[in-house]
Amino acid sequence: FLKKYVAELKWRLAQMTEFASGSEIPEMLSELVWDYLETHPEIPIVDEDYIDGRGWKHIEMRKAIVFNEKFYLFPPQLFMEICEPLLQNMSEPELKKVLKAEGILYCNTADYTVKKTLNNDFGAKERVRFLWIGKEFLLSSDNLYLEDVAEKEELENEIHWKD
């Protein structure tokens, strides 16, 4: 038991050193998001300028990724679920701090979130708290955005485009 414990401890300490530098974080984050969405096709990617009833329902449940020209807006709980492998070696606040320092996360509050007022096509408005991740950090290996790949894979029913 002790031998296994020491080996695991050494491995985790080595991982902490790598993550502390932030050098692997952007690549790992992108990979984690793409892998998560591949295994969770029920998570819609919603255009902030066109939110229909289905998209609105997912936003209320905090199970949708909203996008605009510059950012992907992740509900904090969903984002932390996606980042679970990173959280084995660092805390949530530490991860957010590293993401902000790397320029990946945009925020204006101490908890690293930003509120966004969203409107659905029925005129309802709600201010929702999100983690704002720069779109350029989540490009696919083919330099496509999440919404581009979903469209390419003919998942138009999962995306809500602006007219």
Side-chain angles (χ1 to χ4, degrees):
F1 169 78
L2 184 58
K3 191 184 266 186
K4 286 182 180 179
Y5 178 79
V6 169
E8 178 73 15
L9 182 62
K10 285 180 181 178
W11 180 80
R12 289 199 184 262
L13 288 172
Q15 294 294 322
M16 289 173 84
T17 305
E18 287 179 28
F19 288 134
S21 70
S23 61
E24 290 188 9
I25 297 292
E27 296 84 17
M28 288 194 71
L29 177 64
S30 180
E31 184 178 316
L32 288 171
V33 169
W34 285 97
D35 289 348
Y36 187 89
L37 291 176
E38 186 176 312
T39 59
H40 293 85
E42 73 278 6
I43 303 293
I45 302 165
V46 181
D47 186 333
E48 78 171 23
D49 292 327
Y50 181 73
I51 302 171
D52 67 5
R54 182 178 176 278
W56 190 256
K57 179 182 171 188
H58 280 84
I59 289 169
E60 287 180 327
M61 294 184 322
R62 309 300 189 249
K63 291 292 184 181
I65 299 170
V66 178
F67 71 93
N68 60 30
E69 290 181 21
K70 292 183 174 183
F71 297 100
Y72 290 112
L73 313 179
F74 288 84
Q77 289 176 315
L78 176 62
F79 188 75
M80 289 307 138
E81 188 176 316
I82 291 169
C83 293
E84 181 62 35
L86 292 173
L87 297 175
Q88 293 177 5
N89 296 309
M90 60 178 39
S91 67
E92 285 184 28
E94 186 179 2
L95 174 61
K96 291 175 186 176
K97 183 178 178 181
V98 169
L99 292 175
K100 183 177 181 191
E102 291 283 326
I104 298 169
L105 176 67
Y106 166 78
C107 63
N108 61 4
T109 62
D111 70 349
Y112 299 98
T113 61
V114 179
K115 279 194 170 184
K116 177 72 176 168
T117 300
L118 299 175
N119 303 304
N120 70 12
D121 58 353
F122 304 113
K125 293 183 179 188
E126 185 177 345
R127 284 184 52 84
V128 184
R129 194 168 288 282
F130 290 105
L131 291 168
W132 294 37
I133 304 297
K135 288 178 79 170
E136 69 272 15
F137 297 101
L138 296 182
L139 290 172
S140 73
S141 57
D142 298 330
N143 288 327
L144 297 172
Y145 294 112
L146 295 174
E147 62 272 21
D148 295 335
V149 171
E151 180 184 33
K152 180 179 161 189
E153 294 175 358
E154 299 185 76
L155 295 176
E156 288 88 2
N157 62 333
E158 298 292 323
I159 299 178
H160 307 283
W161 295 100
K162 184 168 115 177
D163 292 331

